[in-house]
Amino acid sequence: MRLDKFICKSTELTRNDAKKLLKAKLVTVNDEIITSGAVKLAEDDVVKIEGEVISLIGHRYIMLNKPEDMICSTIDEVYPSVLHLIDVERASDLHIAGRLDVDTTGLVLITDDGKWSHNITSPNKDCNKTYRVITKIDITDDMVKCLETGVELNNEKAPTKPATVAVIDNRQMLLTISEGKYHQVKRMLAAVGNKVIELHREKIGSITLDDELDFGQWRYLSEDEIALFT
């Protein structure tokens, strides 16, 4: 890897910032002052800026408990992006693996590893997502049967894939789906004559939201959790 690229990937510095540091003779490789960003680094080279060792930032894998009134986007729109909640270096490199609507809360996975997130978001992977759904009216046996069979959604050519439903009480269920259609859970409940009042994602694949995380809080995933999508 080129030295200037290494500096940028190891810090918050831009390519221009790196050039200025090099020109000012503030960068060393194996304790030798280097002024050219084009120098190719070996794997065991030690790079320092003003005497401080820098190293590449590895892939990050993050679990966030999304609050209401924030969006799963990399940029602010009408509502602020959830990435404002993540206080890490080079947060701009992160992206969301599976979005939630602005009024939906719960588990969001965030990473800078495109291959890993593809295993979550690709329709071919059939990654299950489990939602806690609170409904406007009572949940009937017929509604459950329809959801578990597959329902027709407006402007969709095919019915939804069969869902798994666990009824908690008259107006609360756990709904597990493997697709990610636009507003899918809300549209599915509307299709069976009900309405979603509250929606909270609890699980993606085999990763369950940490119940110690309050809304807006996050933590890094464990190695075992990361391995579930590698």
Side-chain angles (χ1 to χ4, degrees):
M1 182 183 296
R2 285 172 53 112
L3 177 56
D4 52 4
K5 184 176 181 181
F6 181 91
I7 292 171
C8 293
K9 284 187 168 291
S10 303
T11 67
E12 296 280 0
L13 299 172
T14 65
R15 185 68 65 90
N16 284 336
D17 292 334
K19 288 180 179 179
K20 291 176 182 178
L21 287 172
L22 289 161
K23 186 176 180 180
K25 299 183 179 181
L26 297 175
V27 179
T28 62
V29 177
N30 302 327
D31 294 324
E32 178 184 349
I33 293 174
I34 303 295
T35 58
S36 172
V39 168
K40 296 282 188 172
L41 296 176
E43 187 173 339
D44 58 349
D45 283 341
V46 177
V47 180
K48 297 180 183 179
I49 296 177
E50 297 187 85
E52 295 290 330
V53 176
I54 63 171
S55 56
L56 287 175
I57 299 171
H59 285 311
R60 279 81 55 83
Y61 306 89
I62 292 168
M63 168 190 296
L64 168 72
N65 188 356
K66 178 191 172 296
E68 284 188 296
D69 297 331
M70 298 194 82
I71 56 173
C72 291
S73 172
T74 55
I75 58 173
D76 298 331
E77 296 173 16
V78 176
Y79 295 92
S81 166
V82 294
L83 292 183
H84 287 299
L85 300 171
I86 310 297
D87 183 20
V88 297
E89 290 187 356
R90 301 193 68 81
S92 60
D93 291 345
L94 298 170
H95 63 268
I96 294 105
R99 299 183 175 191
L100 290 177
D101 297 336
V102 65
D103 58 348
T104 301
T105 61
L107 177 59
V108 172
L109 298 178
I110 300 170
T111 185
D112 52 9
D113 184 343
K115 182 178 180 181
W116 188 83
S117 62
H118 176 78
N119 291 331
I120 297 171
T121 59
S122 172
N124 297 328
K125 299 296 183 178
D126 289 325
C127 178
N128 286 333
K129 293 97 176 173
T130 299
Y131 298 83
R132 183 175 294 269
V133 187
I134 297 177
T135 61
K136 184 175 182 179
I137 63 175
D138 287 355
I139 302 162
T140 67
D141 291 341
D142 284 344
M143 291 177 186
V144 172
K145 183 177 180 180
C146 288
L147 294 170
E148 292 181 331
T149 302
V151 297
E152 298 281 350
L153 303 180
N154 288 336
N155 302 316
E156 298 287 348
K157 295 180 180 180
T160 60
K161 293 181 180 179
T164 300
V165 180
V167 176
I168 298 171
D169 56 39
N170 288 346
R171 298 192 182 184
Q172 187 174 188
M173 69 169 78
L174 292 179
L175 177 69
T176 301
I177 60 175
S178 61
E179 301 169 288
K181 299 180 186 297
Y182 180 71
H183 293 324
Q184 182 168 342
V185 174
K186 296 173 184 176
R187 293 165 69 199
M188 288 175 71
L189 268 294
V192 298
N194 210 325
K195 183 178 180 179
V196 173
I197 300 301
E198 293 183 25
L199 190 58
H200 180 79
R201 186 160 65 193
E202 296 194 346
K203 194 171 182 180
I204 298 175
S206 296
I207 296 179
T208 302
L209 179 63
D210 190 332
D211 58 12
E212 293 186 0
L213 293 178
D214 291 331
F215 290 123
Q217 293 186 328
W218 63 275
R219 68 165 173 82
Y220 287 109
L221 296 181
S222 68
E223 291 186 4
D224 287 343
E225 289 169 329
I226 295 167
L228 293 169
F229 290 112
T230 56

